[in-house]
Amino acid sequence: MRGRDPETGEFYSPSRTQQRIEALEIRSLAEKLVALPAAQLARLPIPEELRPHIVETQRITSHIAHKRQLQFLAKQMRREEDEVLEAIRDAMDEGGEAARRETALLHQAEQWRDRLLADGDDALAALLEEFPTANRQKLRQLVRNAVDEKTKNKPPRAFRELFREVRELLSSTDTPDDEAAAE
């Protein structure tokens, strides 16, 4: 039902270009959904009638058939309300934010580990000042073992364990601050 408003001369419905842009955005969203693992899909607010189409698209491996099924999935998604699609996009963006936070945490843990190995007791004192709940004895032993491994060209077992310990320490102290900020 496309036509012009007699008073303003504007079209009643979106232009074909706008419709095409919206269809391509929905197809892009469909591609992202198909690329997600089942565990992540389960957490998204996807309507039940779309789930079988997503699973079917993931199952198909033939290039042309996969492309055709992806187009069909996008067509089914275009039938959904805009609010439903926005909710899916928002939920996927939150997952992206969590991934960015996790990456930042890993980088921070790497920096602490490198600093502990380079500066020794001075870095350990700084870490313990910032994180008083840390196990001083275990961290000191891991640092000592990691330095010993490096000098003797041994496998980096303590090096990795030190990283895990620091990451665990950083993540355990991160969560209460995040919850306090949310309240």
Side-chain angles (χ1 to χ4, degrees), residues 26 29 33 44-51 54 76-92:
I26 291 175
L29 178 62
L33 288 174
L44 296 176
I46 299 172
E48 286 304 314
E49 60 270 7
L50 285 181
R51 288 190 188 275
I54 294 170
Q76 298 303 315
M77 290 174 67
R78 283 193 300 272
R79 294 180 178 170
E80 295 295 326
E81 297 291 324
D82 291 338
E83 293 80 25
V84 171
L85 298 177
E86 274 307 307
I88 294 171
R89 284 187 187 105
D90 287 345
M92 288 178 73

Side-chain angles (χ1 to χ4, degrees), residues 30 32-60 69-70 72-77 80 84-85 87-88 91-92:
K32 290 176 185 173
L33 288 174
V34 168
L36 292 176
Q40 276 186 305
L41 278 175
R43 289 186 293 234
L44 296 176
I46 299 172
E48 286 304 314
E49 60 270 7
L50 285 181
R51 288 190 188 275
H53 299 301
I54 294 170
V55 171
E56 181 66 16
T57 307
Q58 289 175 329
R59 186 187 66 77
I60 295 175
Q69 183 65 27
L70 189 62
F72 180 71
L73 173 61
K75 179 181 178 182
Q76 298 303 315
M77 290 174 67
E80 295 295 326
V84 171
L85 298 177
I88 294 171
M92 288 178 73

Side-chain angles (χ1 to χ4, degrees), residues 5-129:
D5 185 3
E7 295 176 14
T8 62
E10 293 182 13
F11 286 104
Y12 291 131
S13 62
S15 67
R16 281 186 61 194
T17 304
Q18 185 61 36
Q19 289 174 345
R20 185 171 291 139
I21 290 170
E22 290 171 4
L24 288 173
E25 287 174 353
I26 291 175
R27 185 169 192 273
S28 173
L29 178 62
E31 288 174 353
K32 290 176 185 173
L33 288 174
V34 168
L36 292 176
Q40 276 186 305
L41 278 175
R43 289 186 293 234
L44 296 176
I46 299 172
E48 286 304 314
E49 60 270 7
L50 285 181
R51 288 190 188 275
H53 299 301
I54 294 170
V55 171
E56 181 66 16
T57 307
Q58 289 175 329
R59 186 187 66 77
I60 295 175
T61 57
S62 170
H63 178 69
I64 298 298
H66 181 79
K67 189 175 177 181
R68 188 171 38 246
Q69 183 65 27
L70 189 62
Q71 283 294 105
F72 180 71
L73 173 61
K75 179 181 178 182
Q76 298 303 315
M77 290 174 67
R78 283 193 300 272
R79 294 180 178 170
E80 295 295 326
E81 297 291 324
D82 291 338
E83 293 80 25
V84 171
L85 298 177
E86 274 307 307
I88 294 171
R89 284 187 187 105
D90 287 345
M92 288 178 73
D93 286 344
E94 287 175 15
E97 180 63 32
R100 282 189 288 278
R101 277 194 300 257
E102 180 66 23
T103 303
L105 179 75
L106 293 177
H107 287 304
Q108 190 179 11
E110 285 176 358
Q111 290 169 349
W112 270 113
R113 177 190 59 194
D114 295 343
R115 188 173 164 198
L116 285 167
L117 294 174
D119 299 341
D121 285 340
D122 294 336
L124 184 61
L127 181 71
L128 291 169
E129 187 177 309

Side-chain angles (χ1 to χ4, degrees), residues 139-171:
L139 286 170
R140 180 173 283 142
Q141 184 66 41
L142 287 172
V143 169
R144 196 175 306 128
N145 289 348
V147 169
D148 190 45
E149 286 173 351
K150 189 172 185 172
T151 58
K152 293 181 179 179
N153 282 336
K154 289 185 173 182
R157 186 177 193 186
F159 183 77
R160 291 182 182 132
E161 194 174 337
L162 178 62
F163 175 78
R164 280 192 294 269
E165 192 70 28
V166 170
R167 186 187 68 200
E168 200 173 290
L169 179 66
L170 294 174
S171 65

